[in-house]
Amino acid sequence: RSVYDDQPNAHQKFMEKLDACIRNHDREIEKMCNFHHQGFVDAITELLKVRADAEKLKVQVTDTNRRLQDAGKEVIAQTEEIIRCRVQQRNITTVVEKLQLCLPVLEMYSKLKEQMSVKRYYSALKTMEQLENLYLPRVSQYRFCQIMMENLPKLREEIKEISMSDLKDFLESIRKHSDRIGETAMKQAQQQKTFSTALQKQNNVNYGRNMHLGKNRILESKNEITLKRTFEDEDEHEEEVLTAQDLVDFSPVYRCLHIYSVLGDGEIFENYYRKQRRKQARLVLQPQSSMHETVEGYRRYFSQIVGFFVVEDHILHVTQGLVTRTYTDELWNMALSKIIAVLRTHSSYCSDPDLVLELKNLIVVFADTLQGYGFPVNRLFDLLFEIRDQYNETLLKKWSGLFRDIFEADNYSPIPVANEEEYRIVISKFPFQDPELDKQSFPKKLPMSQSVPQIYMQVKEFIYASLKFSESLHRSSTEIDDMLRKSTNLLLTRTLSSCLQNLIKKPHIGLTELVQIIINTTHLEQACKYLEDFISNITNISQLTVHTARLYGLSTFKDARHAAEGEIYTKLNQKIDEFIQIADYDWTMSESDGRASGYLMDLINFLRSTFQVFTHLPGKVAQTACMSACQHLSMSLMQMLLDSELKQISMGAIQQFNLDVIQCELFASSEPVPGFQGDTLQLAFIDLRQLLDLFMVWDWSTYLADYGQATSKYLRVNPSTALTLLEKMKDSSKKNNIFAQFRKNDRDKQKLIETVVKQLRSLVNGMSQHT
C-alpha cells in the first residue's frame, strides 16, 4: 500500500529495483549450477550403469514373488479361516456376555407371569419393582426390554383391578356371612359369661341362701341344667372353628391393602374401603318391618351388627391405618343411635312379655359381646331401663287378664277344708294365721275365698317375672330391690286395684259377693308384709335399709274396700228402690187394711237376711250399711208421699202408710246389726214419724204454736212438706165428699184445712223471704 500510496513514480522505481534483484538472483543460480554440474553428470553416469542390474533384479523379484505367491495361497486360506473363527469366537463370547445380562431379566419376567397366573399379586409387584430398578436398566438398549417396560404399567393396572374385584367379592361375602360371624361371637360371649357366673357361684357358697326355698330350688336346678348343657355343648364343639379370623378369609383385604400401598394409592384404598363399609353398615342397621314379631328377627338383626363390628375390630388390629379407632368409634356411635331408635320403635309393638324378656336377654348378650371388643355400651343398658318399663307394662296387662280370670272363676264363698292336708295346701300358698280357727276341728272354713291364695301366688309370680328382667343388667342388689318393689307397687295400685274396682262395679256381683270381696281385701292387705319379706329374701336387702321402698298395697285394698262398701250401700238402696217400685197403695182408700203392706214386709225380711250376712264385715261397715239402708228407705217413703204425680191422699191411705212406717221402726229397734247405741237407728225414720203423727192426731194448733222452738214436738216437720201433703188431702176431701157442704162436721173440717193451709203458706213464704 505504501508503494501505491506514495509518490506517483514510486511504482516504477519499485519495479526497477525488483528487476535488478531478479537479475542478481539469476546470476547466483547460474553460479551454483555451474559449481554442481559435474557431480550431476557423474550421478547420471552411475545410474545408467545400474540400469541393467536393476532390470535383472526386477525380473528376479517378480519371479520370486510369483513363486512366493503360489506357495502362500494355502497359508492365506488357512489364515482367513483362522481369522473368521476368531471373529466368530469373539462374537460368541460377546453374545454369551449379553445373554448373561438378559437371562435374569427374562427369568424375572417369566417369574412375574407365573405369579400373575397363580394370583400372587403382591409378589408380582415386588418382582416388577426388581425388574424396573435392577435388571431392566442393564439391558435397556434391547427392544424386548422396551416392550417389557411398556407392559409393566399395564400389569400394575391389571393387578389393581383384580385385587379390587377380589375385595368387592370379599365385601359381598362378608355382608352375607356377617350374621354367622356375629352369632358365633355372641355364643362365645354368652359361654364366657356363663362360665364366669358358674365360677362365681362356686366361690360364693352362700349365694342365694336367703331366697325363697321352693322357688330357689327351681332356679338353682334350672341354672345347673343350663350350665351342664353349656359345658356339654362346649365339649361337643371344642374343635369347632369359632373365631372371626377363621370363619372369614381376610386375605383379599391384606392383598389389596399391600398392593395399593406398594403402588402408592394406599389412601385411595382406605377411603374406598371405609366408604363401602359405611354403606354396608347402613344396610345392616336397617331392620325388617316384621322384626318385632319373633325373637329370631331380633337375633338375626343383632348377629349382623355384631358380625360387622367384629370384622372391623379384626381389621383394626391386623392392619395399620386401614381403619382407626376414631373411625370405628364414629361408626359405632352412628350405629348405636340407629340401633337404639330401631329398638325403641320395634319393641313398642311387643305385647308379649316373654318376647320382651327374650329381647332383653339378646340385648344383654349383644352389649356384652361388643363390650368385649372395646365398644362402649352404656347407652344400651340405659335403653334396657326403658324397655324394662315396657316389660312391666306388658306384665301388668298379662296379669290384669290373669286377675280377671281368677275373679271370674271365684265362687266368693269361704274356702272349705275337710282335713289337715287340704289346710296345709291352702296355707302353703297363702300366709294365713288364725289361732281361733286352728282350734276348730275339721271340716272347717277359711274366711277368704279361693281367689285370695291365687291372687297372692300370682303376685309372687309377677315378682319372679319382673326379677327375670333385672338379671344381667349389671345393677346392685339395692337397685334390683327398688325395681322389684316399684313394679310390685304398680301391680297392686294400678292393675289389681283396677281389676277390683271393675269387679265391684259388675252387675252380677251381689251383696254376698261384695261382703266376701271386703273380707278378701282385708286378708290380702295383711299379706303385704309377707310380700315385702319375700322381696327382701330374693334380693338380700333388709327392709330396715333407709332407701328401701315400701309396698302400697295397704292403700290399694283400702280403696277397694271403700269402693265395695259404697257399692254395698248403692246395691242396698237399689234393692230398696225395687221393692218401693212394686208398692201399690190405694191413695183414696177410706180405711186402712189393719196390717202392713206386703211389699214392705218382704223388704224388711230381705234386709234382715242381708244384715245377717254382714256379720263377717267389720262392725262400722255393717252399721253404716244398715243406717244407710234405713235412711234411704225413709227418704223413699217420704218421696212417695210428696210425689208430684200423686194428686190426692185420703186419711185411710195415711193410716195405711203409718202402719208401714211402724214396721220400719220395729225393724230399726230390733237391732238388725249390733253396735248401735240407744235409738240411733230409729232416728232414720224420725222425719216420717213426726209428719205422720201430725196428720194422725191432727194437732195443727200445737205445730203452729210451737214452730221454730227447739222443744217443739214436731221439730222435724218442714212447713213446705206439711203444706204439700195437706193440699193433697184437701183435694181428696173435696172430691170424695160431694155433699160435705151439707154436713156441719165436714164443713168445719174443710174450713180448718183451708185455714191451716193459709197459715202454712205464710210460714213457707216467710221462710223464702228470710232466705
Side-chain angles (χ1 to χ4, degrees):
R1 185 166 48 235
S2 64
V3 172
Y4 288 98
D5 293 340
D6 285 343
Q7 299 176 0
N9 295 326
H11 182 268
Q12 185 178 1
K13 291 179 179 181
F14 174 75
M15 293 301 294
E16 292 176 354
K17 288 181 181 182
L18 183 60
D19 289 338
C21 186
I22 290 171
R23 288 189 298 271
N24 288 333
H25 280 297
D26 287 341
R27 286 190 296 270
E28 289 178 359
I29 291 171
E30 186 177 356
K31 288 178 180 180
M32 183 65 70
C33 287
N34 290 332
F35 178 77
H36 291 290
H37 178 72
Q38 186 61 41
F40 178 73
V41 173
D42 292 342
I44 292 300
T45 302
E46 288 180 1
L47 284 175
L48 291 174
K49 290 180 180 180
V50 296
R51 176 182 293 179
D53 294 334
E55 290 178 357
K56 291 179 182 180
L57 179 60
K58 180 178 178 182
V59 172
Q60 291 177 356
V61 170
T62 302
D63 184 59
T64 301
N65 182 53
R66 181 183 55 75
R67 288 185 284 107
L68 183 62
Q69 291 295 332
D70 293 340
K73 285 182 179 179
E74 187 177 356
V75 175
I76 290 171
Q78 293 293 329
T79 302
E80 289 178 353
E81 182 69 23
I82 290 174
I83 291 171
R84 189 181 63 79
C85 289
R86 290 287 177 86
V87 172
Q88 188 177 16
Q89 185 178 10
R90 185 173 62 251
N91 289 341
I92 291 173
T93 303
T94 302
V95 169
V96 169
E97 291 176 357
K98 297 302 181 183
L99 287 177
Q100 285 178 347
L101 289 176
C102 293
L103 278 176
V105 177
L106 297 173
E107 288 175 356
M108 292 296 289
Y109 196 78
S110 175
K111 180 180 178 182
L112 172 62
K113 288 293 186 179
E114 182 181 356
Q115 289 171 341
M116 290 289 292
S117 64
V118 296
K119 300 182 179 181
R120 295 175 57 193
Y121 301 117
Y122 181 71
S123 301
L125 289 175
K126 292 296 184 182
T127 304
M128 287 185 198
E129 184 178 359
Q130 292 178 355
L131 276 172
E132 286 182 327
N133 298 330
L134 183 62
Y135 293 99
L136 287 177
R138 298 176 184 175
V139 289
S140 59
Q141 68 273 22
Y142 300 110
R143 190 165 60 88
F144 77 89
C145 293
Q146 297 299 325
I147 296 173
M148 289 183 183
M149 292 292 290
E150 294 173 358
N151 286 336
L152 289 182
K154 297 179 181 178
L155 290 175
R156 283 195 177 92
E157 290 300 322
E158 181 182 352
I159 289 173
K160 287 177 65 175
E161 292 176 1
I162 293 174
S163 61
M164 184 56 71
S165 177
D166 291 344
L167 177 66
K168 291 178 180 179
D169 294 340
F170 166 79
L171 293 175
E172 181 66 21
S173 174
I174 205 67
R175 188 182 70 84
K176 293 180 180 179
H177 297 91
S178 59
D179 54 344
R180 181 187 172 197
I181 299 169
E183 184 177 357
T184 301
M186 291 172 70
K187 283 182 180 179
Q188 287 179 333
Q190 193 171 11
Q191 290 172 359
Q192 181 64 31
K193 184 177 180 180
T194 304
F195 182 73
S196 301
T197 304
L199 290 180
Q200 183 181 1
K201 288 184 179 181
Q202 290 177 358
N203 293 332
N204 187 6
V205 295
N206 293 324
Y207 180 82
R209 178 170 293 176
N210 294 325
M211 291 179 65
H212 191 268
L213 183 59
K215 195 71 177 184
N216 183 37
R217 290 176 178 173
I218 295 174
L219 289 176
E220 288 182 353
S221 62
K222 286 183 178 179
N223 290 334
E224 290 175 0
I225 294 172
T226 303
L227 188 60
K228 182 178 180 182
R229 289 178 179 173
T230 301
F231 289 153
E232 288 176 355
D233 292 341
E234 289 179 354
D235 294 338
E236 182 179 354
H237 301 89
E238 185 176 0
E239 297 180 357
E240 185 179 356
V241 178
L242 294 176
T243 63
Q245 186 175 4
D246 295 330
L247 288 173
V248 181
D249 180 15
F250 288 93
S251 57
V253 181
Y254 306 149
R255 283 197 302 268
C256 204
L257 175 61
H258 292 161
I259 289 169
Y260 273 77
S261 299
V262 170
L263 296 178
D265 294 334
E267 186 175 354
I268 296 175
F269 172 73
E270 292 171 7
N271 293 334
Y272 176 81
Y273 176 84
R274 294 180 184 181
K275 181 180 179 181
Q276 294 300 317
R277 290 298 279 168
R278 281 193 180 96
K279 289 182 179 178
Q280 290 188 346
R282 293 187 182 97
L283 291 176
V284 166
L285 294 172
Q286 191 66 29
Q288 296 181 355
S289 59
S290 60
M291 184 181 71
H292 62 278
E293 295 177 357
T294 61
V295 70
E296 288 302 322
Y298 288 107
R299 191 188 305 279
R300 181 175 176 81
Y301 180 68
F302 287 134
S303 298
Q304 289 178 344
I305 296 173
V306 171
F308 178 89
F309 283 99
V310 166
V311 170
E312 289 304 289
D313 181 77
H314 181 75
I315 295 294
L316 172 67
H317 288 89
V318 299
T319 61
Q320 295 181 352
L322 180 56
V323 296
T324 61
R325 176 56 69 182
T326 303
Y327 160 78
T328 55
D329 289 344
E330 178 186 351
L331 201 60
W332 168 245
N333 289 332
M334 181 271 292
L336 190 57
S337 299
K338 179 66 175 178
I339 292 167
I340 291 175
V342 168
L343 291 178
R344 277 201 183 108
T345 301
H346 284 264
S347 63
S348 62
Y349 297 117
C350 295
S351 57
D352 183 7
D354 295 332
L355 180 58
V356 179
L357 184 61
E358 290 181 353
L359 173 59
K360 167 257 174 182
N361 293 331
L362 280 177
I363 293 176
V364 170
V365 175
F366 173 74
D368 290 342
T369 303
L370 289 174
Q371 190 175 30
Y373 284 92
F375 295 100
V377 294
N378 291 334
R379 292 174 62 188
L380 285 174
F381 284 102
D382 293 338
L383 173 66
L384 283 174
F385 282 93
E386 298 179 21
I387 298 179
R388 181 201 65 191
D389 296 335
Q390 181 187 347
Y391 174 73
N392 285 337
E393 289 297 325
T394 59
L395 285 181
L396 292 175
K397 290 181 181 178
K398 179 180 179 180
W399 258 256
S400 177
L402 293 175
F403 289 154
R404 285 197 301 268
D405 294 342
I406 291 173
F407 289 140
E408 288 293 333
D410 195 9
N411 58 5
Y412 298 98
S413 300
I415 302 175
V417 286
N419 48 49
E420 183 71 22
E421 182 179 357
E422 292 182 3
Y423 180 74
R424 294 296 178 189
I425 292 175
V426 175
I427 63 174
S428 66
K429 297 178 181 179
F430 182 77
F432 174 74
Q433 295 179 354
D434 188 350
E436 295 297 329
L437 186 64
D438 291 341
K439 296 177 182 179
Q440 298 178 14
S441 59
F442 292 99
K444 53 188 175 182
K445 292 184 178 181
L446 302 181
M448 63 277 190
S449 66
Q450 191 65 45
S451 63
V452 172
Q454 292 176 355
I455 291 293
Y456 182 79
M457 292 299 296
Q458 286 300 327
V459 172
K460 290 174 67 176
E461 290 296 330
F462 175 87
I463 294 172
Y464 280 121
S466 182
L467 176 64
K468 288 180 181 178
F469 195 93
S470 302
E471 294 173 348
S472 306
L473 291 186
H474 308 299
R475 297 293 172 176
S476 64
S477 298
T478 304
E479 291 175 309
I480 293 176
D481 182 88
D482 187 60
M483 287 188 289
L484 287 180
R485 292 178 185 273
K486 287 182 177 178
S487 59
T488 307
N489 277 330
L490 281 177
L491 178 72
L492 296 177
T493 58
R494 195 172 76 183
T495 305
L496 182 56
S497 176
S498 176
C499 290
L500 284 171
Q501 296 291 343
N502 293 334
L503 174 67
I504 291 169
K505 296 294 183 181
K506 287 189 175 181
H508 70 276
I509 298 297
L511 293 171
T512 305
E513 288 80 5
L514 288 172
V515 171
Q516 188 62 54
I517 288 172
I518 293 175
I519 297 171
N520 290 348
T521 54
T522 303
H523 288 282
L524 287 173
E525 179 182 341
Q526 295 171 356
C528 281
K529 63 179 181 179
Y530 296 100
L531 289 176
E532 290 188 345
D533 295 338
F534 177 72
I535 296 175
S536 298
N537 289 335
I538 290 178
T539 59
N540 252 350
I541 299 298
S542 173
Q543 297 186 41
L544 301 177
T545 305
V546 177
H547 301 289
T548 301
R550 293 290 180 263
L551 297 183
Y552 303 138
L554 299 178
S555 60
T556 298
F557 299 120
K558 285 181 180 178
D559 294 341
R561 276 201 303 277
H562 292 160
E565 292 167 6
E567 194 66 18
I568 286 176
Y569 309 150
T570 302
K571 286 187 179 296
L572 269 176
N573 294 340
Q574 291 175 351
K575 200 67 178 177
I576 291 173
D577 292 340
E578 292 176 4
F579 280 100
I580 294 294
Q581 289 175 0
I582 64 175
D584 186 19
Y585 284 102
D586 181 7
W587 297 107
T588 60
M589 62 192 310
S590 58
E591 294 182 358
S592 66
D593 294 338
R595 61 180 183 276
S597 302
Y599 85 92
L600 188 69
M601 297 305 299
D602 292 340
L603 172 58
I604 291 175
N605 292 331
F606 164 75
L607 292 177
R608 289 186 188 278
S609 61
T610 299
F611 291 139
Q612 287 178 358
V613 178
F614 287 5
T615 55
H616 299 291
L617 288 176
K620 291 184 179 180
V621 177
Q623 292 171 13
T624 304
C626 186
M627 177 59 75
S628 173
C630 291
Q631 289 176 345
H632 185 74
L633 176 58
S634 175
M635 188 181 301
S636 299
L637 292 174
M638 180 69 77
Q639 290 176 352
M640 189 184 301
L641 285 176
L642 304 178
D643 189 0
S644 59
E645 295 182 358
L646 179 60
K647 303 300 182 180
Q648 300 173 2
I649 300 178
S650 65
M651 193 63 193
I654 293 292
Q655 293 171 353
Q656 180 63 40
F657 203 82
N658 183 55
L659 293 176
D660 292 343
V661 173
I662 291 174
Q663 291 297 323
C664 293
E665 292 173 332
L666 291 174
F667 168 74
S669 62
S670 65
E671 197 175 6
V673 173
F676 287 107
Q677 296 181 355
D679 56 352
T680 303
L681 194 57
Q682 290 92 314
L683 292 176
F685 301 96
I686 187 64
D687 292 355
L688 269 176
R689 171 48 49 210
Q690 291 186 7
L691 179 64
L692 291 175
D693 286 348
L694 177 61
F695 278 84
M696 291 293 293
V697 299
W698 210 254
D699 194 7
W700 292 104
S701 58
T702 303
Y703 173 75
L704 294 172
D706 296 342
Y707 177 74
Q709 298 180 10
T711 58
S712 174
K713 179 179 179 182
Y714 305 103
L715 181 64
R716 308 284 296 185
V717 178
N718 190 294
S720 61
T721 302
L723 176 62
T724 302
L725 186 60
L726 189 59
E727 286 180 339
K728 293 181 180 183
M729 292 187 67
K730 181 181 72 172
D731 293 339
S732 176
S733 178
K734 287 182 179 180
K735 184 176 181 181
N736 295 330
N737 298 300
I738 301 176
F739 301 102
Q741 55 183 342
F742 300 107
R743 293 196 293 271
K744 185 177 183 301
N745 292 335
D746 292 334
R747 289 198 305 273
D748 293 341
K749 185 176 181 181
Q750 190 68 26
K751 290 180 181 180
L752 177 61
I753 292 175
E754 291 177 354
T755 303
V756 173
V757 167
K758 290 180 181 179
Q759 292 178 351
L760 289 175
R761 282 177 180 170
S762 63
L763 286 176
V764 172
N765 292 333
M767 290 174 59
S768 61
Q769 291 176 2
H770 177 71
T771 304

